């Protein structure tokens, strides 16, 4: 059977680290790749001139040869790549001096590509025809770019949700507080800690997470953590001793406190 389709070049896979901000708003990036491109001197023929490229006499331009052999009473036919032209269907008499008959030259290319919003680690972008050109002409392979999302200084992500821990001092947990931190969308993230909050509880700020692909944004989920001074001063320790009776739990009240905590947890 004749060759009905052109040979295809190999595809290229590259990995590219991108800033976390791109998960929010997308953007454009670029990668540098070493790619086999069509030789401009011979236009991919491989021969110095058109007359220097001939149809392979072994396979008559098919790129394949069929062998027939007798196996007992049966005739067995097998097809394989032509050994004379390595499946290309043509032979080079006088090779192009630039590419030495390959029809292609390896060059470094810088390729710019668009990153969609909501991108995550492991997403692959495919660019058709940006891979290697095969020897002596044909269809170029593809370029696949695997994206690796860089870490954010304090956010983790779960799909379109953004998760973070917020250290809060005991007075602020008890009395409540409003804090502002910078955010991915350019507007400050205002976190309102209600009075009598507990460490380990979460606050939810809706619509300030990442795009979810449906025209909306996920939530920001904030875990309250009790901030403990690393090196408390003597005076602070002295003040805490005097507050023990008001803020602490006596041995007599401990069991009731455990029961209350279990009741709250199960309700």
């Amino acid at each position: 059977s004749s060759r009905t389709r052109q040979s295809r070049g190999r595809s290229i896979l590259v990995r590219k680290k991108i800033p976390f901000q791109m998960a929010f708003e997308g953007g454009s990036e670029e990668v540098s790749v070493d790619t086999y491109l069509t030789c401009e001197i011979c236009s991919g023929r491989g021969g110095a001139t058109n007359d220097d490229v001939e149809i392979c006499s072994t396979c008559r331009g098919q790129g394949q040869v069929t062998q027939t052999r007798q196996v007992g009473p049966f005739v067995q036919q097998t097809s394989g790549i032509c050994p004379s032209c390595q499946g290309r269907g043509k032979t080079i008499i006088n090779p192009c001096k630039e590419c030495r008959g390959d029809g292609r030259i390896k060059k470094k290319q810088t390729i710019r590509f668009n990153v969609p919003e909501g991108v995550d680690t492991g997403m692959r972008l495919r660019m058709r025809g940006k891979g290697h050109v095969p020897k002596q002409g044909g269809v170029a392979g593809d370029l696949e770019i695997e994206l690796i999302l860089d870490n954010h200084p304090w956010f983790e992500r779960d799909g379109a949700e953004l998760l973070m821990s917020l250290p809060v001092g005991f007075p602020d947990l008890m009395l409540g507080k409003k804090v502002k931190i910078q955010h991915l969308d350019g507007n400050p993230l205002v976190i309102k800690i209600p009075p009598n909050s507990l460490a380990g509880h979460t606050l939810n700020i809706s619509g300030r997470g990442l795009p979810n692909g449906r025209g909306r944004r996920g939530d920001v989920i904030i875990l309250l953590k009790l901030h403990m001074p690393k090196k408390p001063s003597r005076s602070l320790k002295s003040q805490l001793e005097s507050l023990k009776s008001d803020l602490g739990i006596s041995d007599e009240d401990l069991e009731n406190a455990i029961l209350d905590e279990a009741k709250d947890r199960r309700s």
Side-chain angles (χ1 to χ4, degrees), residues 33-224:
V33 288
D34 289 323
T35 317
Y36 281 112
L37 301 175
T38 301
C39 174
E40 294 176 359
I41 303 299
C42 69
S43 301
R45 293 185 307 266
T49 68
N50 279 332
D51 295 335
D52 293 320
V53 182
E54 287 188 347
I55 291 174
C56 174
S57 58
T58 304
C59 65
R60 297 179 183 177
Q62 305 302 307
Q64 291 185 336
V65 288
T66 303
Q67 293 179 325
T68 305
R69 67 186 184 120
Q70 191 82 25
V71 182
F74 304 104
V75 175
Q76 187 182 56
Q77 279 193 335
T78 57
S79 295
I81 293 172
C82 174
S84 299
C85 66
Q86 283 78 50
R88 289 190 286 272
K90 53 193 175 183
T91 54
I92 309 296
I93 302 165
N94 180 29
C96 166
K97 290 178 181 177
E98 180 71 16
C99 64
R100 298 179 181 178
D102 277 356
R104 61 182 189 172
I105 296 285
K106 191 174 242 189
K107 287 185 179 177
K108 187 176 282 292
Q109 279 197 103
T110 299
I111 296 172
R112 198 150 194 89
F113 62 94
N114 290 324
V115 179
E117 63 180 32
V119 63
D120 203 354
T121 293
M123 179 182 280
R124 286 190 178 186
L125 305 176
R126 182 184 290 271
M127 302 185 76
R128 294 279 180 195
K130 293 294 184 182
H132 295 304
V133 169
K135 283 186 178 184
Q136 295 162 15
V139 180
D142 300 333
L143 171 65
E144 272 196 287
I145 304 166
E146 184 174 312
L147 302 176
I148 301 167
L149 196 63
D150 208 353
N151 288 329
H152 187 273
W154 58 79
F155 281 127
E156 305 295 332
R157 69 174 293 184
D158 180 13
E161 261 66 61
L162 289 174
L163 319 175
M164 67 169 286
S165 293
L166 180 68
V168 184
F170 178 74
D172 296 328
L173 283 172
M174 195 167 188
L175 303 174
K177 188 180 181 180
K178 184 164 77 174
V179 297
K180 287 184 182 180
I181 57 172
Q182 60 187 21
H183 194 41
L184 295 167
D185 57 14
N187 296 316
L189 191 68
V190 180
I191 305 168
K192 295 174 183 174
I193 303 163
N196 299 317
S197 292
L198 295 174
H201 278 196
T202 56
L203 305 177
N204 195 307
I205 302 178
S206 63
R208 297 294 299 277
L210 298 175
N212 64 6
R214 299 186 294 276
R216 295 183 180 180
R217 286 170 61 184
D219 300 341
V220 177
I221 299 167
I222 299 150
L223 174 67
L224 299 179

